[in-house]
Amino acid sequence: MMSFDVQHAYAALQPYFQARIHLNEPLASHSAFGVGGPADVWVTLEKQQELIDLVNMCAEHRWPLLLVGEGRNILFADAGVRGIVARIDFHHYQIEMQTETSALLIVEAGARWAQILDKLLPLGWSGLEFGVGIPGTLGAGIVSNAGAHNWDLGHILKWIEVLDARGCNSEPEDQFAPASIRCYTRDELDLGHRQSRFRVERSTFIDHEGKLVCPPRRLIEPPEIVLLLGLRLSYRDSQQLLTQRDRFLRERRLNEPPLPHTGPIFKDPEGGSARELIERVGLRGQVHGQAQITEQNANYLANLGGARAEDMVRLIIAAHQQVRKQCGTDLTLNVDLLGEWSHSG
């Protein structure tokens, strides 16, 4: 692990971020699962320029930096995260008319699904309504190509703008290149089911022995950070859209546990259902410590109160191994495991 002088970094950054920077921030309060140890330094970013400046400053000083959104798909380790963790919280948007019945939504990566839908649907702008009830941000959504109802962000994406910090991760240290902004079209992103090329190198998987295999931590993580999305919209009757929103919400409530601190575990395999496979091997309702594979949906984990990340990982591995053994399916994680994981099996 790279060395990191916490006090030096905090002293250098505090004048810029003031009340938005914290030492030893508990990450459990920034994860849907409600677990995770401390981040050495926590920063909230409210403008794109703050992100650009922070990335370049971290590259220059060799401070490890992890960028996150709402933490809806993240399981932070009990040991926390060494270095700086920065939350992307810029969320402005604009609608550019193309024709009388079509438009382009230009939206910053930190915008939340619910926030944008509350604005678009009453105006009759269609395109994102499949995401009713999806938590988190649109920036994180395109990394995982989030979707529902046989639709996903890739269907309406035209382009994205990213901060390319790959040069900041270069070795030796004196050869790093400053971060730069670049644009990608939809076809350059290798979008698939809950997948994009941004996610491939960051994925944790479980090997045949039941051990976690985590990707190596780089200085700036992720090395390409989504800043802006261009999404296609079309005009529909607003009342129809609002009616559809209500129906989607009802369907979601039937399938999601009504518990705080919960989230999905695995991607559905092609032509199958992770939920049904976990139920088939008899693990619905299984408890480890204060973590549970929920009764309502066996592809969801819940924190019953005071769970540790380790408890959740034990259940994740048990589900993965039993499904592989009994059903012959190698389930793929739909959560990102971040921080100081030591194993695990």
Side-chain angles (χ1 to χ4, degrees), residues 135-153:
T137 65
L138 290 172
I142 197 60
V143 171
S144 62
N145 195 22
H149 309 288
N150 300 312
W151 208 251
D152 55 46
L153 268 180

Side-chain angles (χ1 to χ4, degrees), residues 98 104 154 156-160 184-187 230-232:
Q98 310 272 285
L104 185 69
I156 60 168
L157 181 72
K158 189 169 184 181
W159 52 260
I160 62 169
Y184 292 110
T185 64
R186 178 200 180 283
D187 293 340
L231 302 169
R232 289 188 293 267

Side-chain angles (χ1 to χ4, degrees), residues 322-342:
Q322 287 302 312
V323 167
R324 186 181 67 81
K325 180 180 177 180
Q326 296 184 40
C327 306
T329 300
D330 190 3
L331 291 173
T332 302
L333 283 170
N334 194 43
V335 290
D336 295 323
L337 276 65
L338 302 179
E340 308 304 310
W341 295 94
S342 59

Side-chain angles (χ1 to χ4, degrees), residues 1-310:
M1 174 61 195
M2 56 201 83
S3 62
F4 177 61
D5 187 332
V6 177
Q7 294 299 330
H8 177 226
Y10 178 81
L13 294 172
Q14 202 279 332
Y16 295 98
F17 296 104
Q18 299 183 15
R20 291 183 282 133
I21 185 169
H22 304 281
L23 287 171
N24 297 315
E25 178 74 4
L27 292 168
S29 60
H30 299 285
S31 164
F33 296 97
V35 298
D40 289 341
V41 179
W42 172 272
V43 177
T44 300
L45 305 173
E46 294 180 344
K47 297 178 181 178
Q48 287 190 23
Q49 192 59 49
E50 289 180 343
L51 170 60
I52 295 168
D53 293 344
L54 179 62
V55 166
N56 285 322
M57 196 173 190
C58 287
E60 180 182 351
H61 291 280
R62 309 309 289 175
W63 295 336
L65 174 64
L66 173 66
L67 284 306
V68 299
E70 284 281 279
R72 304 302 304 188
N73 232 30
I74 295 174
L75 198 57
F76 289 112
D78 291 317
V81 177
R82 305 289 70 80
I84 300 166
V85 180
R87 175 186 168 194
I88 294 172
D89 195 32
F90 36 83
H91 43 72
H92 293 101
Y93 73 94
Q94 64 186 74
I95 298 172
E96 287 189 357
M97 295 295 297
Q98 310 272 285
T99 69
E100 287 186 3
T101 58
S102 66
L104 185 69
L105 173 69
I106 301 175
V107 60
E108 289 185 318
R112 299 163 188 81
W113 286 81
Q115 166 197 9
I116 293 299
L117 287 168
D118 284 348
K119 302 291 186 182
L120 295 183
L121 299 187
L123 298 175
W125 287 118
S126 170
L128 279 164
E129 62 274 11
F130 68 89
V132 168
I134 293 180
T137 65
L138 290 172
I142 197 60
V143 171
S144 62
N145 195 22
H149 309 288
N150 300 312
W151 208 251
D152 55 46
L153 268 180
H155 283 96
I156 60 168
L157 181 72
K158 189 169 184 181
W159 52 260
I160 62 169
E161 202 173 81
V162 304
L163 183 65
D164 185 352
R166 288 175 293 181
C168 299
N169 289 331
S170 297
E171 299 287 349
E173 298 174 8
D174 59 359
Q175 293 185 2
F176 83 88
S180 59
I181 294 175
R182 62 184 301 168
C183 191
Y184 292 110
T185 64
R186 178 200 180 283
D187 293 340
E188 295 176 286
L189 301 182
D190 297 333
L191 297 174
H193 179 67
R194 308 296 171 262
Q195 190 66 37
S196 74
R197 73 172 185 80
F198 298 121
R199 203 176 191 191
V200 173
E201 294 182 1
R202 302 184 67 199
S203 296
T204 299
F205 67 91
I206 301 167
D207 68 14
H208 287 289
E209 296 179 355
K211 294 184 178 180
L212 294 179
V213 180
C214 298
R217 172 87 186 269
R218 290 165 287 197
L219 184 71
I220 310 296
E221 183 68 36
E224 292 183 282
I225 306 128
V226 180
L227 299 175
L228 207 61
L229 300 87
L231 302 169
R232 289 188 293 267
L233 303 177
S234 57
Y235 187 77
R236 281 179 54 193
D237 178 76
S238 60
Q239 191 54 54
Q240 288 182 0
L241 286 174
L242 293 171
T243 299
Q244 186 178 51
R245 175 200 63 187
D246 294 342
R247 178 169 60 85
F248 283 170
L249 278 173
R250 286 194 299 271
E251 291 176 7
R252 199 167 189 93
R253 291 190 186 109
L254 289 173
N255 289 294
E256 290 190 356
L259 300 166
H261 303 313
T262 186
I265 315 170
F266 298 105
K267 302 176 188 178
D268 285 329
E270 186 174 354
S273 163
R275 171 184 181 173
E276 292 175 2
L277 290 170
I278 297 167
E279 289 178 353
R280 191 184 305 170
V281 300
L283 290 181
R284 184 174 69 178
Q286 183 82 9
V287 173
H288 190 285
Q290 290 298 304
Q292 182 186 41
I293 295 174
T294 69
E295 292 277 3
Q296 184 174 356
N297 186 328
N299 194 33
Y300 274 70
L301 274 179
N303 183 342
L304 301 178
R308 299 168 66 246
E310 186 70 21

